[in-house]
């Protein structure tokens, strides 16, 4: 009955929170009307059905068009086979699947301890998180890219995965920012994974160049370097370092030299902190730091791009920093930067209008990283479930005449009694301390690895030891073995009425 009462209270809590989330989402934030997905759909439809070119399409009434690499348009070709409403529904399902994958990789085992309540509560919390809700409302691709990258991180954390790096390569071919993760692989001396990621990115880009040579030529020689195609750098949704500089000097263009210097400093901090995390095999923190750095150094980081901060929250929770995580989460749910939508000048605009940038920078500098070996929880759980191979026990030494001869005190010698106890225990039981290097060593090795092999347990080492006479000197007891260490863009956050270019 107590369990039923607890479940009932949890259900009431989740339903109440879901109603509050729905009310907040419908009234407080600006809904984006699937704007970015409409850009993708219009681009593909014009390219396939009307003979248009990928980078010539503009959303009617705006100056906004497609700005991803040509391979991204190639991957979106299936939208040409369906209507706009169907494309929106499929995009929503794809983002839901990507978000589920991200949550499972980052905190899945922890949530399973709470059953349905943990997953339902997490879903409500993520629905309030502005980068996530904007990604859904725009119909953006950032969650898909994050899922691809974290899939590789999950493989690398467990030291397995022949194709680890393929997800990073695909993400880098769709959007350039994830290419920084290839550098992370090199820092972590995962040369094979870095090679796979590079090869996949190059092959995908070459395929797009073969299918759409004119579009590829235009993108790599012109569109890539034209930041005006993406949107205004000073727009408050741009929460990158370049966005901060642009708002400081608006309406003038920010100094590219100053931005390059700031970006270089950020990359130096990232390289040092990531290397320290990788030295301790803390892949969770290393990938989190790389997501933070990519958001800071990218010329344009719209609010919905900040889904790359989700791994950082997983790190904070795992390192038992719930108050810090809760405070940062609250700010990132508040849409506070939009208070300076019209004017981000002055000290208040500098601090408040760039609030998300300061959070990203603070996490890059202070996120707990390294100093402990830590894998992604889903992979760590699988690793622990794999029993270690037992060590072969040394063969029991046959008793000699001297060993079985009675001692001067009238009893068998200690060694003879130990051998007799081992024989009495039978196969599968430990010989105890007297059986030099016997099955007890194998049991200790298995216990240290977290596995219970056959013959180890109540009938294992303890049973063998109990048969040894108490006259065995204490000094003959073998010291306990030490436990081995385990190793293991576009599509800006413009409103329904986009800002002027």
């Amino acid at each position: 009955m107590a369990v039923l009462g607890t479940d009932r209270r949890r259900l009431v809590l989740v339903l109440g929170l879901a109603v509050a989330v729905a009310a907040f989402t419908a009234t407080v934030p600006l809904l984006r009307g699937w704007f970015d997905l409409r850009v993708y759909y219009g681009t593909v439809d014009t390219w396939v059905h009307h003979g248009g070119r990928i980078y010539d399409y503009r959303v009617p009434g705006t100056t906004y068009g497609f700005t991803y690499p040509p391979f991204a348009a190639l991957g979106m070709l299936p939208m040409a086979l369906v209507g706009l409403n169907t494309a929106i529904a499929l995009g929503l399902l794809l983002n839901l699947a990507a978000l589920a994958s991200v949550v499972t990789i980052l905190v899945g085992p922890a949530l399973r301890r709470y059953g349905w309540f943990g997953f339902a509560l997490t879903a409500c919390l993520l629905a309030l998180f502005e980068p996530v809700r904007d990604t859904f409302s725009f119909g953006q691709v950032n969650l898909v890219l994050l899922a691809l990258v974290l899939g590789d991180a999950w493989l690398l954390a467990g030291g397995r995965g022949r194709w680890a790096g393929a997800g990073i390569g695909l993400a880098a071919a769709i959007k350039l920012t994830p290419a920084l993760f290839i550098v992370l692989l090199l820092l972590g001396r995962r040369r094979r994974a870095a090679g796979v990621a590079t090869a996949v990115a190059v092959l995908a880009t070459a395929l797009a160049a073969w299918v759409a040579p004119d579009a590829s030529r235009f993108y790599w020689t012109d569109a890539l370097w034209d930041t005006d195609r993406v949107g205004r750098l000073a727009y408050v949704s741009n929460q990158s370092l370049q966005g901060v500089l642009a708002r400081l000097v608006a309406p003038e263009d920010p100094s590219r030299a100053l931005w390059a210097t700031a970006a270089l400093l950020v990359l130096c901090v990232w390289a040092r902190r990531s290397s320290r995390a990788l030295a301790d095999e803390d892949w969770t923190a290393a990938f989190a730091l790389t997501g933070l750095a990519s958001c800071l150094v990218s010329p344009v980081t719209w609010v919905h791009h900040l889904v790359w901060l989700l791994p950082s929250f997983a790190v904070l929770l795992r390192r038992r920093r719930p108050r810090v995580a809760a405070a940062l989460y609250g700010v990132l749910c508040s849409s506070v930067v939009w208070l300076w939508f019209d004017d981000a000048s002055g000290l208040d605009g500098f601090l408040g209008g760039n609030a998300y940038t300061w959070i990203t920078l603070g996490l890059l500098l202070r996120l707990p990283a390294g100093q402990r070996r830590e894998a992604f929880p889903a992979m760590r759980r699988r690793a622990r479930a794999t029993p270690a191979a037992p060590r072969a026990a040394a063969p029991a030494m046959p008793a000699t005449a001297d060993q079985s001869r009675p001692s001067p005190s009238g009893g068998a010698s200690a060694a003879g009694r130990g051998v007799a106890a081992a024989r009495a225990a039978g196969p599968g039981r430990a010989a105890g301390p007297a059986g030099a290097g016997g099955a007890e060593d194998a049991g200790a090795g298995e216990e240290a690895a977290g596995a219970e092999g056959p013959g180890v347990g109540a009938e294992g080492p303890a049973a063998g030891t109990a048969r040894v006479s108490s006259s065995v000197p204490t000094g003959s007891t073998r010291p306990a073995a030490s436990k081995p260490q385990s190793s293991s863009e576009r599509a800006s956050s413009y409103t329904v009425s986009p800002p002027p270019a």
Side-chain angles (χ1 to χ4, degrees):
M1 296 300 295
V3 173
L4 292 178
T6 300
D7 284 342
R8 188 178 295 110
R9 288 194 294 270
R10 288 178 173 179
L11 181 59
V12 171
L13 174 61
V14 169
L15 290 177
L17 186 57
V19 171
V21 168
F24 176 82
T25 305
T27 57
V28 177
L30 293 172
L31 298 179
R32 313 302 184 180
W34 317 105
F35 190 93
D36 292 346
L37 192 142
R38 293 174 186 272
V39 173
Y40 310 152
Y41 183 86
T43 298
V44 171
D45 181 72
T46 301
W47 181 29
V48 174
H49 297 297
H50 303 286
R53 294 185 296 184
I54 294 175
Y55 298 103
D56 287 347
Y57 174 79
R58 295 290 185 275
V59 175
T62 76
T63 60
Y64 299 109
F66 197 80
T67 56
Y68 289 154
F71 179 74
L74 198 63
M76 296 174 184
L77 276 178
M79 286 196 294
L81 304 176
V82 299
L84 176 60
N85 291 334
T86 303
I88 291 174
L90 292 176
L92 178 62
L93 292 175
L94 182 61
N95 271 328
L96 284 172
L99 183 60
S101 299
V102 169
V103 171
T104 300
I105 292 172
L106 291 177
V107 292
L111 292 181
R112 290 191 191 100
R113 292 200 294 267
Y114 301 96
W116 66 269
F117 178 70
F119 286 97
L121 188 62
T122 301
C124 291
L125 294 176
L126 288 174
L128 289 175
F129 194 62
E130 184 175 3
V132 171
R133 69 174 189 252
D134 266 7
T135 294
F136 277 87
S137 185
F138 274 113
Q140 256 284 342
V141 299
N142 299 292
L143 282 172
V144 176
L145 301 182
L146 179 59
L148 287 172
V149 169
L150 289 183
D152 280 342
W154 184 79
L155 293 174
L156 291 168
R160 64 183 67 182
R162 182 176 181 181
W163 291 103
I168 292 175
L170 282 176
I174 295 171
K175 187 177 178 180
L176 298 181
T177 308
L180 187 60
F181 287 91
I182 300 178
V183 184
L184 178 69
L185 296 178
L186 294 174
L187 286 177
R189 297 181 180 179
R190 299 301 180 99
R191 295 181 179 87
R192 176 185 174 85
V196 170
T198 303
V200 169
V202 170
L203 289 175
T205 303
L207 176 63
W210 178 69
V211 174
D214 292 339
S216 296
R217 186 182 306 110
F218 175 77
Y219 177 81
W220 295 107
T221 61
D222 190 301
L224 175 61
W225 315 102
D226 184 7
T227 56
D228 291 336
R229 291 179 56 88
V230 183
R232 291 184 295 111
L233 293 177
Y235 187 49
V236 73
S237 181
N238 183 13
Q239 291 292 308
S240 67
L241 292 176
Q242 177 120 296
V244 174
L245 297 176
R247 284 185 284 276
L248 283 175
V249 299
E252 302 295 329
D253 291 333
S255 168
R256 292 194 176 186
L258 182 58
W259 167 74
T261 302
L264 182 60
L265 290 175
V266 165
L267 290 175
C268 290
V269 173
W270 162 77
R272 180 174 181 178
R273 300 213 68 215
S274 296
S275 297
R276 185 175 301 172
L278 292 171
D280 291 330
E281 297 184 10
D282 190 353
W283 283 95
T284 312
F287 271 75
L289 290 168
T290 306
L292 296 169
S294 64
C295 288
L296 290 169
V297 303
S298 175
V300 175
T301 297
W302 305 125
V303 169
H304 51 263
H305 295 168
L306 297 179
V307 294
W308 292 97
L309 271 61
L310 289 176
S312 298
F313 281 91
V315 172
L316 288 174
L317 293 176
R318 198 167 305 149
R319 293 299 186 88
R320 299 179 181 178
R321 309 288 173 85
R323 293 182 180 179
V324 176
L328 299 182
Y329 167 82
V331 176
L332 285 164
C333 290
S334 66
S335 300
V336 64
V337 297
W338 297 101
L339 296 176
W340 289 269
F341 172 77
D342 293 320
D343 183 11
S345 61
L347 180 60
D348 61 328
F350 178 72
L351 297 177
N354 302 308
Y356 297 171
T357 307
W358 307 139
I359 289 177
T360 308
L361 184 60
L363 285 171
L364 179 69
L365 296 173
R366 301 293 297 172
L367 185 73
Q371 299 180 354
R372 65 169 63 178
R373 297 180 183 270
E374 184 172 341
F376 280 84
M379 176 59 72
R380 187 169 65 247
R381 184 181 181 186
R382 171 179 289 188
R384 287 180 176 175
T386 305
R391 292 184 298 176
M397 297 296 293
T400 64
D402 292 338
Q403 291 173 330
S404 59
R405 183 181 302 140
S407 63
S409 62
S413 67
R417 287 194 300 271
V419 173
R423 290 176 176 176
R429 295 191 179 185
E440 184 182 9
D441 289 333
E446 289 176 350
E447 182 181 2
E452 294 185 0
V456 177
E459 297 295 323
T465 305
R467 297 177 184 267
V468 180
S469 171
S470 59
S471 63
V472 177
T474 304
S476 66
T477 304
R478 180 182 57 82
S482 59
K483 292 187 176 182
Q485 295 298 319
S486 61
S487 60
S488 336
E489 231 139 55
R490 219 231 35 102
S492 59
S493 289
Y494 21 69
T495 60
V496 176
S497 299

